[in-house]
Amino acid sequence: MSQIPDFIAVIFDMDGLILDTETTYVHAWQQAASELGYTINKTFCTSMSGLSFAQVEEKFTEHLGAAFPLTEFYRLSGERWRTIAEQEGIAVKKGAYDLLQVLEESQAPFCLATNSPEFNARECLRYAGIEDLFSVIVCRDHVLQPKPAADIFLRAADLLQQPIQSCLVVEDSLTGLLAARNANAFSVLIPSITEIDEQMQALAGLVLNDLCELSLLLQGK
């Protein structure tokens, strides 16, 4: 594994990185679309990884047409998603607990920084049973612009009381990597359900397979 630069704090994305929420979103979206007479495949769904609500809405309209009933779709998909989450919970990604323990033992501050609104983010954390693990959470409704703008990461660094250049940003999506670049932060890419393309490879300061690898690297710092 490659070396990682010196850092003081760590900023984590949530969906697809700490939590396996994307799988539940895909299932709920496909169920809701089917009930409305539309078909959406997994590739289309995963292409929205890391996007904000407004960006997701735009992609649905582009893909399915202006007549697509977005309001009804969001109502149905929300109901289907909560049914899935209540029955199955939301899985915590492999290595997350060990990694957070490493950071706590080294007294390195960390936080979540997500394009999700705060209500939805806390709901996901609750379904995953880890709502108490993050004392600092920065969400879409806390800033002017979502990722790929720098706002969310800059706000996170401010709350952690560290310059952004002293923070590691850990992401799983192109949108998050672009935001890290715009914030002038070093990024660690741990891909989830999207394949790494050349742009992602070029943007990432470091590419790892999972949170376990990052945990091992940080233990050696």
Side-chain angles (χ1 to χ4, degrees), residues 131-150:
E131 61 266 42
D132 297 326
L133 291 187
F134 293 89
S135 59
V136 178
I137 302 176
V138 182
C139 303
R140 168 64 188 98
D141 37 358
H142 299 164
V143 296
L144 290 176
Q145 296 293 329
K147 306 172 193 177

Side-chain angles (χ1 to χ4, degrees), residues 10-217:
V10 183
I11 301 171
F12 294 103
D13 180 46
M14 184 184 74
D15 293 307
L17 182 77
I18 297 296
L19 300 181
D20 186 17
T21 50
E22 292 175 323
T23 299
T24 63
Y25 292 146
V26 169
H27 291 165
W29 284 344
Q30 288 181 318
Q31 288 179 23
S34 177
E35 290 178 41
L36 294 170
Y38 293 81
T39 300
I40 51 176
N41 60 35
K42 183 178 179 181
T43 300
F44 169 70
C45 293
T46 57
S47 72
M48 292 181 282
S49 175
L51 299 183
S52 68
F53 179 86
Q55 293 166 323
V56 167
E57 184 173 298
E58 183 178 343
K59 284 185 71 73
F60 269 114
T61 301
E62 289 177 355
H63 186 69
L64 298 173
F68 182 65
L70 271 171
T71 300
E72 181 64 8
F73 171 76
Y74 283 133
R75 185 189 67 79
L76 280 174
S77 62
E79 290 176 357
R80 302 300 173 265
W81 179 81
R82 284 178 180 84
T83 297
I84 294 169
E86 287 170 0
Q87 292 177 348
E88 304 175 10
I90 293 177
V92 178
K93 299 286 276 192
K94 176 184 175 183
Y97 291 114
D98 290 342
L99 176 55
L100 295 180
Q101 184 175 352
V102 168
L103 293 175
E104 288 176 349
E105 290 175 351
S106 65
Q107 298 185 327
F110 58 88
C111 73
L112 283 181
T114 174
N115 259 349
S116 295
E118 182 176 3
F119 176 84
N120 298 105
R122 293 193 181 278
E123 188 175 35
C124 289
L125 292 169
R126 186 170 67 253
Y127 281 127
I130 61 169
E131 61 266 42
D132 297 326
L133 291 187
F134 293 89
S135 59
V136 178
I137 302 176
V138 182
C139 303
R140 168 64 188 98
D141 37 358
H142 299 164
V143 296
L144 290 176
Q145 296 293 329
K147 306 172 193 177
D151 300 32
I152 286 177
F153 290 146
L154 295 178
R155 175 63 174 160
D158 183 56
L159 291 174
L160 294 175
Q161 299 182 328
Q162 300 297 334
I164 189 64
Q165 293 80 9
S166 296
C167 299
L168 293 182
V169 168
V170 189
E171 271 285 353
D172 70 305
S173 70
L174 174 60
T175 301
L177 292 176
L178 289 168
R181 182 199 62 183
N182 290 334
N184 196 28
F186 184 89
S187 60
V188 178
L189 171 63
I190 299 177
S192 56
I193 57 177
T194 55
E195 295 184 0
I196 302 176
D197 59 24
E198 292 183 1
Q199 186 180 11
M200 295 172 75
Q201 188 78 46
L203 286 167
L206 181 64
V207 180
L208 299 174
N209 291 312
D210 54 37
L211 295 173
C212 296
E213 287 191 359
L214 180 57
S215 181
L216 290 173
L217 279 178

